Amino acid sequence: MPAEKAGMELCRCEGAKLSYGVHELVPSFTLHLHTGHRYALLGRNGVGKTTLFNAIADGTLPGFPPFLKLSYLKQEQSLQFKEKTVLDYCVACVMEARQEELRAEQEHLEARLEALEDCDGEGLEEL
């Protein structure tokens, strides 16, 4: 695809490897992701699709930027909402993850505010 149509590059993982235990699934691969595109991952069973998603989700894929978020429904997921659709379940999971991020950000800001209230004007640049 020509660079002008590719969109901004979000990810460039080059020379990455995928293993499952002692089994090397993919000895070397390159992953490039750009804005404005949707991607699909297709392959036979056992070639490393789930292993790749787990590595991205766990933050263990070298070169994959931490600001990119991955949400996916694992194969072995036990659904808590038997009467809801898979889409309903996915939306609920994303909402729960976002709530956890917001709680962590709130705790961080509250700690900074407390430190600011405790100081007498010295060290404000550090806050």
Side-chain angles (χ1 to χ4, degrees):
M1 171 178 296
E4 65 271 7
K5 296 194 182 218
M8 183 180 80
E9 184 174 81
L10 294 172
C11 170
R12 178 182 292 261
C13 301
E14 294 185 355
K17 299 175 183 181
L18 276 183
S19 298
Y20 185 77
V22 297
H23 303 288
E24 189 172 66
L25 299 172
V26 183
S28 179
F29 69 93
T30 299
L31 175 66
H32 294 213
L33 302 176
H34 294 87
T35 59
H37 295 275
R38 294 181 184 185
Y39 297 92
L41 185 60
L42 305 172
R44 292 173 300 171
N45 289 343
V47 297
K49 299 179 303 292
T50 300
T51 302
L52 175 62
F53 279 121
N54 286 334
I56 292 171
D58 297 341
T60 58
L61 181 65
F64 196 86
F67 66 86
L68 289 178
K69 301 293 183 201
L70 170 73
S71 297
Y72 79 105
L73 187 61
K74 293 184 178 183
Q75 292 174 352
E76 292 83 25
Q77 189 73 35
S78 61
L79 296 178
Q80 301 168 359
F81 311 108
K82 300 284 185 202
E83 69 283 351
K84 302 216 182 223
T85 67
V86 171
L87 178 60
D88 292 335
Y89 183 77
C90 290
V91 168
C93 289
V94 169
M95 295 290 287
E96 183 179 320
R98 183 66 181 134
Q99 286 176 340
E100 289 175 19
E101 290 174 7
L102 290 173
R103 271 189 230 106
E105 184 177 350
Q106 179 182 5
E107 289 174 9
H108 172 73
L109 291 173
E110 286 174 349
R112 290 186 69 186
L113 181 59
E114 185 176 315
L116 182 62
E117 290 171 348
D118 290 345
C119 78
D120 58 359
E122 291 183 32
L124 285 177
E125 305 83 39
E126 296 174 17
L127 293 175

